[in-house]
Amino acid sequence: MAYKKLSEQVMELSNAQRSDTFVKLFQEAVRQGKFDGAYLPERFTMPKQYTRRGSDDTYQRDTREMLFDCTPEFETWFEETNRSLAAPRRGGNIKPSMEAVESGLVDFKSLVEETRRKMQASYEKGQALGKGRAKTTRTTKTKKK
């Protein structure tokens, strides 16, 4: 049997910035019994660089070391996982701004429709709240007589 440390496997990732996600997926796979792994008493530093909000400082995190059985099943799982983590992540939605609309990144017509839908929902919610309050005040006044 060939045993390998999680820290060694993390170094083989195509995209080191996804090492935190890989460790979570790895631990989940061990928990589900897809392959065998065991915690070791030591810790290792993951290669991912984190940045603090509002600052240019970067830092790294440590995680528990694990020892696992490097089977053909694991190799297959690793190849698939590594491929999915290496794929560039689709960024979040583009925030609506004048520049985004002018450059065509955001469709103005769909932005207008979304705004109208939100305004209508807000209006209807306010009307419903008003009607609900009107009913409760009327019924409480009639009960007091």
Side-chain angles (χ1 to χ4, degrees):
M1 287 191 179
Y3 296 108
K4 200 169 183 182
K5 285 185 171 184
L6 178 58
S7 56
E8 295 169 8
Q9 195 65 44
V10 164
M11 294 305 160
E12 293 180 26
L13 286 171
S14 304
N15 185 351
Q17 281 299 100
R18 302 299 306 276
S19 60
D20 56 339
T21 307
F22 172 75
V23 169
K24 286 179 190 162
L25 292 171
F26 178 88
Q27 290 170 339
E28 179 66 19
V30 169
R31 190 180 68 75
Q32 291 176 353
K34 291 183 180 175
F35 45 85
D36 296 334
Y39 281 124
L40 293 175
E42 69 252 29
R43 298 179 73 80
F44 73 95
T45 303
M46 290 192 286
K48 178 173 179 170
Q49 296 283 327
Y50 295 90
T51 53
R52 299 191 195 284
R53 285 190 188 181
S55 169
D56 293 334
D57 295 351
T58 60
Y59 64 98
Q60 291 177 302
R61 289 189 179 154
D62 288 354
T63 192
R64 288 178 74 179
E65 181 69 91
M66 290 183 81
L67 187 68
F68 65 94
D69 192 5
C70 196
T71 61
E73 292 82 19
F74 170 78
E75 292 294 336
T76 305
W77 177 88
F78 178 73
E79 283 175 31
E80 290 170 8
T81 306
N82 190 27
R83 199 175 311 114
S84 69
L85 292 176
R89 287 195 337 201
R90 198 180 75 71
N93 293 341
I94 298 164
K95 292 192 172 58
S97 67
M98 189 157 172
E99 293 80 19
V101 171
E102 286 174 345
S103 66
L105 292 171
V106 175
D107 180 32
F108 183 69
K109 295 286 183 193
S110 63
L111 200 58
V112 168
E113 283 302 312
E114 185 183 341
T115 303
R116 284 195 179 122
R117 200 169 40 252
K118 285 181 181 176
M119 291 171 90
Q120 184 63 32
S122 179
Y123 174 78
E124 288 170 4
K125 185 178 176 184
Q127 293 296 308
L129 277 172
K131 286 178 187 170
R133 287 195 182 115
K135 285 178 188 171
T136 55
T137 53
R138 243 185 268 126
T139 54
T140 53
K141 286 179 183 172
T142 53
K143 285 182 181 175
K144 287 181 180 175
K145 288 182 181 175

